[in-house]
Amino acid sequence: MNKRMYAMGILLVVAALAVSACSSGSGNGGSDGGVKKTLKMWTWKVAYGPGFEAAAKLYEEKTGIKVEIETFTPDDTYRQKVRAAANSKNLPDVIHYWATNGDSLETSLLELTPNVGDDVLNSYFGPAMDPIRVTQKQVDNWATNKNATNVQKGLKVGEFYGLPLDIGGFFTFYGNKKLIEQAGLKAEAPKTFEEFVTMMETVQKETKVPGLVFGAKLPDLWENWAGSALQIMLNGPEGYINLLERKAQMSDPNNIKVAQALGSIAEKGLMMPGILSTVIDGADQAFASSKAAFNLGGTFTMSTLLAMGMNADDIVTFSVPPIAGSKLDKWSTDPFTLTMVSVSKDSKNKDEALDFIKFITSDPDAAIAFSNGAFTVSALKIGDRSKDLSPALKAMQESFTTEPGPYSKVQPYIDNRSNHKEWEEYFQSMQSVIEKKMTVEQATKKFDERMKSLAASGN
């Protein structure tokens, strides 16, 4: 009798354990023990919030896994928070970050090289992985650079710790449709820079609103976001390379036209008062508040303007228009990767987090939902699905070159520009032109003289 009762007891225990095992195993929809699994994600981009939420909703519908997004601003605060969390091994499952490598966060992130195949990597737009994947040149530089960190020295060629989320480009003007139409003009892109200046004159005269604002407190912003495009269109990539390589002079009849383009805006008083103390965010805010009719930014500026309360239907966008008689009659933008998404190495949900970043960066439905919500162009090549983007986003995407464009030919020489100190002084001189304390002729002559002097001394 005792043996029978003992045996029955054993059977009951086994049965109970079997039931328990079934109920605690991972079920459909990413549940664990009947409780939905949740991923934590951090970002600093307030404007991207609606895009992340839209993609997260699709992911939850597909997998049952919820993604909770937390936003921390401003940029510096977010960087500090991420680094502090990395040091204490307290990062969230998914980290949204600037597209980069060698930023010393790699020891806290999941190395993705063995986890992401070509099926995903080949789905991205052109050079989307370029700033994220470690190159031989970087490895060589870090090996000989005494200031390189131990993390940088430990990275290997081809490694990457994030997937590209979105791409963008500079060289974009934004116009306030209401002010343009109030001035009796059509809210459409000007064909030449001269036509653009006339447009600003008319709007300012009829509406009493300043024509242009941009982050002019940064001395090199105009050159980086507009001047370089004007030079490349005016004389072709080779012409700008000659200037960057000290084989031409800024005061040459053709080259000076670009400096004169900015000078004409200053001479006509078309810039917002206080522009030299205006940073990028301040310029965007001024434009969003109708304190200026036009704003210089990049494709990424639109999401900021919408987050500031503007309506996309009230904005006209166009690339930097060429100076009349330029070799190139329009500007095409070489895109670069803006941000990436990564997985924490210490995440308890690494598989699910990895699946999510693949989903948001390589699934067309997710990419479109994110793009339309965040108003930024996804790094994913979506082909015919571009029809599902908002009209302004579709136009931005179509402005990007699918093959290396004119800017890519000049890029290496622009990167080397910081070694030629005459450029730094030129940017400051052009700020004096904006203040009307110096003429364009004086600024360009000073550049040429400084260039000649530095070259002669071997600098």
Side-chain angles (χ1 to χ4, degrees):
M1 183 69 177
N2 288 340
K3 289 182 179 179
R4 182 184 298 175
M5 291 184 67
Y6 177 76
M8 289 180 64
I10 292 294
L11 288 172
L12 288 172
V13 170
V14 171
L17 289 172
V19 171
S20 175
C22 290
S23 63
S24 64
S26 293
N28 293 332
S31 60
D32 191 359
V35 178
K36 274 190 175 183
K37 187 165 285 188
T38 299
L39 298 176
K40 300 283 186 181
M41 175 180 172
W42 285 358
T43 181
W44 77 102
K45 286 278 196 179
V46 176
Y48 284 17
F52 282 130
E53 295 291 349
K57 181 180 178 182
L58 288 180
Y59 189 67
E60 185 174 8
E61 291 172 355
K62 177 184 176 183
T63 66
I65 299 172
K66 184 177 178 63
V67 182
E68 291 184 353
I69 298 128
E70 291 185 271
T71 306
F72 304 93
T73 59
D75 294 14
D76 288 344
T77 298
Y78 183 67
R79 288 183 191 274
Q80 293 169 10
K81 183 173 182 65
V82 169
R83 292 188 182 283
N87 291 335
S88 61
K89 297 186 177 182
N90 197 32
L91 285 170
D93 303 295
V94 178
I95 304 98
H96 179 216
Y97 209 68
W98 291 265
T100 185
N101 65 51
D103 205 26
S104 297
L105 288 176
E106 284 81 2
T107 54
S108 301
L109 302 178
L110 182 67
E111 208 251 293
L112 300 179
T113 315
N115 298 298
V116 180
D118 289 341
D119 58 326
V120 173
L121 298 178
N122 292 338
S123 69
Y124 298 135
F125 198 101
M129 286 295 296
D130 286 358
I132 301 173
R133 186 188 278 119
V134 178
T135 66
Q136 183 66 57
K137 184 176 181 181
Q138 287 176 311
V139 170
D140 293 343
N141 288 342
W142 290 328
T144 58
N145 186 347
K146 64 180 181 180
N147 295 318
T149 65
N150 289 332
V151 174
Q152 290 172 330
K153 290 180 181 294
L155 295 176
K156 296 179 176 59
V157 176
E159 287 183 346
F160 55 94
Y161 293 77
L163 295 181
L165 181 64
D166 57 332
I167 56 176
F170 300 128
F171 316 114
T172 305
F173 281 107
Y174 290 80
N176 185 312
K177 273 188 182 180
K178 291 182 178 179
L179 290 174
I180 295 170
E181 291 172 351
Q182 183 182 331
L185 302 174
K186 289 184 179 180
E188 58 187 22
K191 292 182 174 60
T192 65
F193 196 86
E194 290 83 353
E195 185 180 323
F196 179 38
V197 173
T198 300
M199 206 174 169
M200 284 189 280
E201 281 187 284
T202 302
V203 173
Q204 182 164 310
K205 178 181 177 181
E206 298 298 327
T207 67
K208 311 304 179 187
V209 175
L212 178 66
V213 68
F214 60 94
K217 185 174 182 179
L218 300 174
D220 61 347
L221 185 138
W222 176 265
E223 182 69 20
N224 288 334
W225 290 17
S228 55
L230 290 170
Q231 282 283 9
I232 292 169
M233 286 188 287
L234 182 63
N235 299 310
E238 297 77 14
Y240 194 38
I241 290 172
N242 285 338
L243 190 59
L244 293 165
E245 288 288 278
R246 296 175 167 174
K247 297 176 182 177
Q249 297 189 92
M250 188 73 77
S251 61
D252 287 350
N254 270 345
N255 290 330
I256 197 173
K257 291 180 180 179
V258 174
Q260 289 171 335
L262 178 60
S264 67
I265 299 173
E267 289 170 13
K268 296 174 184 294
L270 298 176
M271 298 186 197
M272 187 184 80
I275 195 168
L276 288 179
S277 61
T278 303
V279 295
I280 296 170
D281 287 345
D284 294 341
Q285 186 62 64
F287 177 72
S289 303
S290 298
K291 294 179 180 177
F294 295 91
N295 180 29
L296 173 61
T299 57
F300 46 82
T301 303
M302 179 66 93
S303 61
T304 301
L305 298 177
L306 298 183
M308 290 176 173
M310 291 196 79
N311 188 319
D313 294 335
D314 295 332
I315 303 172
V316 58
T317 66
F318 53 91
S319 297
V320 174
I323 293 169
S326 291
K327 287 186 176 180
L328 304 180
D329 59 5
K330 65 178 181 179
W331 181 250
S332 56
T333 303
D334 290 275
F336 53 87
T337 307
L338 297 173
T339 68
M340 67 182 187
V341 279
S342 302
V343 174
S344 169
K345 189 172 70 174
D346 298 312
S347 170
K348 295 179 180 179
N349 306 302
K350 280 197 281 285
D351 290 343
E352 293 81 3
L354 178 60
D355 187 57
F356 175 69
I357 68 170
K358 288 181 181 178
F359 176 74
I360 195 172
T361 63
S362 62
D363 182 280
D365 291 331
I368 289 166
F370 168 74
S371 291
N372 283 331
F375 219 99
T376 185
V377 179
S378 170
L380 179 67
K381 294 181 289 188
I382 57 176
D384 293 341
R385 294 294 303 277
S386 62
K387 67 181 185 301
D388 297 324
L389 295 173
S390 67
L393 271 179
K394 185 173 183 291
M396 287 180 185
Q397 186 193 53
E398 291 174 348
S399 74
F400 293 147
T401 56
T402 54
E403 300 295 331
Y407 189 80
S408 65
K409 297 179 182 178
V410 180
Q411 180 72 61
Y413 301 92
I414 292 178
D415 291 342
N416 192 47
R417 191 175 59 195
S418 60
N419 295 324
H420 294 172
K421 296 301 180 184
E422 66 267 23
W423 282 96
E424 184 178 328
E425 296 179 20
Y426 172 70
F427 300 146
Q428 295 168 353
S429 293
M430 291 308 293
Q431 286 188 314
S432 295
V433 170
I434 291 174
E435 290 184 290
K436 299 181 182 179
K437 293 180 177 179
M438 183 180 285
T439 65
V440 168
E441 288 71 24
Q442 290 171 332
T444 54
K445 182 180 179 181
K446 182 179 179 181
F447 174 90
D448 293 341
E449 291 174 348
R450 186 63 170 151
M451 177 179 68
K452 187 180 298 184
S453 172
L454 288 168
S457 64
N459 295 311

